[in-house]
Amino acid sequence: MDRRTQVADNLAAVRARIARACEDAGRDPGEVTLVAVTKTFPASDVRLLAGLGVRDVGESRDQEASAKAEACADLDLTWHFVGQLQTNKARSVVRYASVVHSVDRPSLVTALSRAAAEVGQSVRCLVQVRLDERPGRGGADPMQVSELAASIAEAPGLALAGVMAVAPMGADPGPSFARLAGIAADLRAEHPEARWMSAGMSEDLEAAIEAGATHVRIGRRLLGARPRTG
Ligand SMILES: *Cc1c(COP(=O)(O)O)cnc(C)c1O
């Protein structure tokens, strides 16, 4: 099977899962955006996905993402940065990404705001929330979300869009995503514009949609196994 057919089949299967999950949850599929996570895969795959109607692309490493975005500059795509982000990469990231899902500390808010002002772009930011006790994978403590969100909302060049999380490994994602939905609701009470909830990956998109996810981030089920996890 050629790559295009393979990716088209995978995409159809993922879209069907999203549609079914929305139906089960009594939600409109139009409320859920598929972000295709293309990390470790070549720009040619991004091009295939774009040809199949995908408009939102996610990446997690700046060096790889900036090269890919440049190779795909002729395509009408929205680039989402979903990985852990070092402050010294903020200037590079805002050149191609209009959404950053992984804002988890005040120093990153400052760096992104400065970078966004420099390039004259507005960057949508999601507060990444840590849902387990392991700080290694990034994310702000749930207790810090409100303060971090307020600083994003006030920062020039940044727009507060909502929250993001990765479910803890090896546990039922349902309770974690329900907890994230509660945090998202609290945030909306303070910032009505912050309506996005980025949650759900290849193996747990149904649980995320049931909890109210507006953006699911899907890699492997679209493009196949990655050589390394990241
Ligand atoms: C890699 C990655 C994804 C996609 O995960 P899959 O299991 O391949 O669907 C989603 N979100 C983040 C933050 C990632 O790093």
Side-chain angles (χ1 to χ4, degrees), residues 37 39 60 82-83 164 166 201-202 217-221 226 230:
V37 178
K39 65 186 181 202
S60 62
V82 304
M164 177 275 220
V166 176
M201 312 191 341
S202 286
R217 309 179 308 269
I218 311 297
R220 286 170 294 161
R221 286 299 180 100
R226 286 184 292 272

